[in-house]
């Protein structure tokens, strides 16, 4: 995807404007890894406050975390008693994940998410894919893989930046400390209907779909969120294999 140059500074404060680069997704996340966990990230704050009920109790369950990043969900769920296998295509992110306390009980695998997952059919009770789908081009193939590895009695839990944020010129991005440039890992202009239809075509049934906007509480805790007050920021889905 080529980002419209008019979007680059849309919705940004003067402190956030400046030189910007659009880079391949893997390269972008390798460079983002250095500061990923330390940033003010309202999307992650909102997601972490809403996603737990969809995941449920994972003690004793097999969990796949597809696009695990720095392990923020994988390690927490492993500590809660799940047997977690976590995939990501960014070695930079995985280096950060493996260095965290508790990482030794997670099986981390570097893998190109555009390729079939190196995981067995029907082997996971929970399949997570968090803040990844806006970087996926082949949604049908990707959802088919999520369905393939999920047990018939399991569920797939999805979080993604709400597509409405593109109307504000917002996509995944960060300020690179060494260069001071704003870096945009390559994204795809996927819509809610694209996600729903890809899930349906893959044989997944929609059990939950919700949209979550920036409210005054989030705006107070995250300075970056304040300018999006009232806008939908997060989309959550829970899907189940059709029997």
């Amino acid at each position: 995807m080529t980002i419209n140059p008019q979007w680059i500074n849309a919705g940004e404060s003067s402190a956030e404007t400046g030189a910007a680069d659009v880079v391949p997704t893997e390269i972008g996340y390798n460079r983002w890894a250095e500061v990923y966990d330390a940033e003010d990230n309202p999307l992650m704050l909102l997601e972490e406050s809403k996603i737990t009920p969809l995941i449920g109790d994972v003690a004793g369950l097999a969990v796949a975390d597809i696009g695990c990043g720095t392990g923020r969900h994988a390690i927490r769920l492993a500590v809660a008693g799940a047997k977690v296998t976590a995939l990501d295509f960014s070695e930079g992110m995985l280096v950060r994940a493996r260095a965290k306390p508790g990482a030794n009980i997670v099986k981390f695998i570097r893998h190109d998410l555009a390729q079939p997952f190196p995981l067995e059919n029907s082997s996971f009770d929970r399949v997570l894919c968090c803040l990844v789908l806006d970087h996926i081009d082949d949604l049908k193939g990707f959802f088919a893989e999520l369905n393939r590895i999920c047990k018939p009695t399991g569920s797939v839990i999805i979080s993604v930046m709400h597509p409405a944020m593109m109307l504000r010129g917002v996509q995944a991005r960060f300020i690179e400390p060494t260069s001071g440039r704003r870096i945009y890992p390559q994204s795809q202009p996927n819509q809610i209907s694209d996600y729903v239809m890809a899930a349906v075509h893959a044989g997944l049934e929609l059990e939950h779909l919700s949209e979550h906007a920036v409210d005054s509480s989030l705006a107070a805790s995250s300075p970056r969120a304040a300018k999006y007050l009232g806008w939908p920021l997060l989309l959550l889905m829970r899907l189940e294999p059709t029997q």
Side-chain angles (χ1 to χ4, degrees):
M1 175 190 178
T2 300
I3 295 178
N4 185 331
Q6 294 181 351
W7 288 1
I8 292 294
N9 292 333
E12 303 290 350
S13 70
S14 59
E16 293 176 296
T17 59
D21 297 320
V22 180
V23 301
T25 308
E26 180 181 356
I27 292 173
Y29 277 87
N30 281 337
R31 292 163 67 174
W32 199 348
E34 179 184 355
V35 296
Y36 192 79
D37 289 326
E39 281 191 320
D40 169 23
N41 190 321
L43 179 58
M44 285 202 302
L45 290 174
L46 182 59
E47 183 229 46
E48 290 168 4
S49 72
K50 301 294 184 181
I51 199 170
T52 298
L54 295 184
I55 300 172
D57 182 5
V58 297
L61 300 185
V63 175
D65 187 357
I66 307 300
C68 64
T70 60
R72 62 193 181 92
H73 289 307
I75 296 172
R76 175 178 63 84
L77 296 176
V79 170
K83 182 180 179 181
V84 181
T85 302
L87 273 59
D88 204 277
F89 63 174
S90 167
E91 183 59 29
M93 289 285 187
L94 290 175
V95 167
R96 297 283 173 171
R98 292 183 181 118
K100 291 182 176 180
N104 61 304
I105 58 175
V106 177
K107 183 179 181 180
F108 287 105
I109 302 173
R110 184 182 182 278
H111 181 73
D112 181 355
L113 300 185
Q115 301 301 318
F117 307 150
L119 304 171
E120 296 294 329
N121 294 349
S122 304
S123 52
F124 294 96
D125 301 286
R126 300 285 187 274
V127 178
L128 273 63
C129 181
C130 298
L131 308 185
V132 171
L133 287 183
D134 49 331
H135 300 296
I136 301 299
D137 184 18
D138 178 17
L139 289 175
K140 289 183 179 180
F142 190 82
F143 273 89
E145 281 295 284
L146 297 178
N147 185 36
R148 179 184 66 79
I149 67 172
C150 188
K151 291 181 180 180
T153 56
S155 57
V156 177
I157 295 93
I158 300 288
S159 71
V160 65
M161 180 186 288
H162 198 292
M165 292 305 290
M166 283 194 176
L167 299 176
R168 292 290 300 265
V170 177
Q171 293 178 262
R173 81 279 192 203
F174 68 101
I175 304 295
E176 187 175 48
T178 55
S179 68
R181 300 181 70 85
R182 202 143 30 91
I183 308 298
Y184 286 78
Q186 188 176 34
S187 298
Q188 302 295 332
N190 299 322
Q191 300 300 310
I192 295 176
S193 58
D194 296 322
Y195 299 139
V196 171
M197 293 310 298
V200 170
H201 282 298
L204 291 163
E205 181 176 337
L206 184 63
E207 190 272 333
H208 172 95
L209 187 148
S210 58
E211 302 168 279
H212 302 272
V214 176
D215 60 15
S216 57
S217 176
L218 181 61
S221 62
S222 170
R224 285 182 65 184
K227 57 183 171 293
Y228 306 126
L229 188 64
W231 274 73
L233 179 62
L234 174 69
L235 179 71
L236 291 176
M237 301 171 68
R238 179 178 167 119
L239 307 159
E240 297 179 351
T242 54
Q243 303 297 313

